[in-house]
Every structure is written in C-alpha cells, then in structure tokens.
Amino acid sequence: MDFRWAYKSAAASFSDLVHRLPPDGWDGAGLGEWSLRDLVGHSTSSALRQVPVVLGSPGSGVAVDSPEGYWAFARSAPPELVAAARAASTDDARSTGVSLGDDPSAVVTDHAREATRVLSTVGDADVIATPVGGMRVRDWIPTRTFELVVHGLDVAAAARIPVEYAAEVVAEVTMQAARVAATGGDATLVLRALTGRASLAPGFSVV
C-alpha cells in the first residue's frame, strides 16, 4: 500500500471525526485517565502536529528500519525511560488538548493539512530523526497512520459516534500490529487467539 495515501486518508477521516464530536462531550471520559479533549490532544500531537517537525529534522543514519521496530523500542527501553515517556505523553496530551481551544475541528484540520503538505516535500528514503532514532520516511509515517486509526477508534468509542477509515488502511494498521506482536515474542499467542484457539488477557497490547 502507498504509505502516503494511507496517511492522508487516515488524517482526513480523523479530521472528519473531530468535526462530528458533540460540543458538550469534551470534558467527558476519553481513555484511561484522559478526558476526551486529552485524547484528541494526544492524537493530534502524536499523529499530526509533530509530523512536519520530524520530517524537517534530518537523521544521521538509520537506527530503526521498520514500523514494527519503532513500536518494539518501548519493549526494550529501560522501565524508567518508558515511565518518563508516558508521563510526558500525558502532559503533552493535556496541553495540546487545551491548545485546541473553542474550535478544535479547525485546529485539527489545519494540522492535518500542514502535515500532509510537508509529507509531499520529502522523499520515501529520506532519513529523519524520530524519537527512537533515525528512520526512513517510508518506515516512520506508517506509525503515524497507526496512531490516527487506533486513537481515532478510541475517540469514536468514547464519544459513542461512528468512524470509518478506508478498509485498506485499517487492514494495513492491523497487519502492522500483527508484525509488532511477532517481533515482540507474542506471535504464537496472537495467532492462536485470532484463530479461536486461545484468549488474550484483559489489557493485552502489542504496543
């Protein structure tokens, strides 16, 4: 699948979802300890706002050569580093949520337009500096599509409204999650669950 098309498609679907969120629900429950505003803030920051910044930051070499390698980083990182990153993510989610202001839809749409515009200016194999080290554009952008789809589904569930991503995009994100499971040592468990031979534990996650 064309990773650029997949990202642009997911960004458009996410922007439409935010546009349809009920105006009186922003302070309601989102995901875990996050409000709906926090959740949209995190999704916007991680999958849209940071894209132009990262794409504009050249990397000195390739440290991670696949989307699943990006997600696998958290599994191998020291626990204190992971905890600090999660705390920082929550702080960022809340501050970005506040920055969405009284017209979140307009702000999210602007971020989506700028992210896709900058994406059109870089090459597939350009090496950029990501939070886990140097990656090629073609390997990093699918992780942002993953964020848009997974958190878009979170947002829709929290707001109790439907969201539709292109079937091809959802399939690609699902396969990315399966590859993460395989690289993380959970391949057999996930395969057995997908084929009805086992159950995943509550809260199981590949990321």
Side-chain angles (χ1 to χ4, degrees), residues 26 48 73 78-79 81-82 104 107 113 149 195:
W26 286 90
L48 298 174
F73 178 82
L81 180 60
V82 174
V107 177
R113 286 174 177 165
V149 173
T195 54

Side-chain angles (χ1 to χ4, degrees), residues 175-195:
M175 287 188 287
Q176 187 180 151
R179 291 193 296 268
V180 175
T183 60
D186 294 317
T188 300
L189 174 63
V190 171
L191 178 59
R192 286 179 56 77
L194 289 174
T195 54

Side-chain angles (χ1 to χ4, degrees), residues 123-171:
D124 293 8
D126 287 357
V127 179
I128 52 176
T130 80
V132 301
M135 294 184 69
R136 296 181 182 89
V137 170
R138 66 171 178 258
D139 296 323
W140 183 68
I141 287 296
T143 70
R144 302 307 90 194
T145 305
F146 187 102
E147 290 268 3
L148 284 168
V149 173
V150 171
H151 286 311
L153 294 173
D154 290 335
V155 170
R160 294 186 175 88
I161 63 174
V163 62
E164 287 192 12
Y165 288 95
E168 303 95 321
V169 175
V170 176

Side-chain angles (χ1 to χ4, degrees), residues 13 27 31 44 99 121 148 156:
S13 294
D27 294 327
L31 179 68
T44 301
S99 75
T121 69
L148 284 168

Side-chain angles (χ1 to χ4, degrees), residues 7 43-53 92 95-96 99 111 115:
Y7 177 79
S43 309
T44 301
S45 179
S46 66
L48 298 174
R49 188 180 67 178
Q50 74 159 310
V51 168
V53 177
D92 180 68
S95 63
T96 302
S99 75
H111 283 307

Side-chain angles (χ1 to χ4, degrees), residues 15-104:
S15 297
D16 174 70
L17 170 63
V18 174
H19 177 72
R20 292 186 290 106
L21 291 177
D24 59 352
W26 286 90
D27 294 327
L31 179 68
E33 63 180 2
W34 289 349
S35 68
L36 182 60
R37 181 174 288 273
D38 297 337
L39 177 56
V40 175
H42 170 75
S43 309
T44 301
S45 179
S46 66
L48 298 174
R49 188 180 67 178
Q50 74 159 310
V51 168
V53 177
V54 174
L55 292 180
S57 304
S60 59
V62 176
V64 178
D65 62 2
S66 67
E68 53 268 31
Y70 179 95
W71 300 114
F73 178 82
R75 294 175 179 265
S76 60
E80 60 273 15
L81 180 60
V82 174
R86 287 176 176 166
S89 178
T90 292
D91 290 343
D92 180 68
R94 289 174 175 157
S95 63
T96 302
V98 170
S99 75
L100 297 178
D102 296 328
D103 192 359

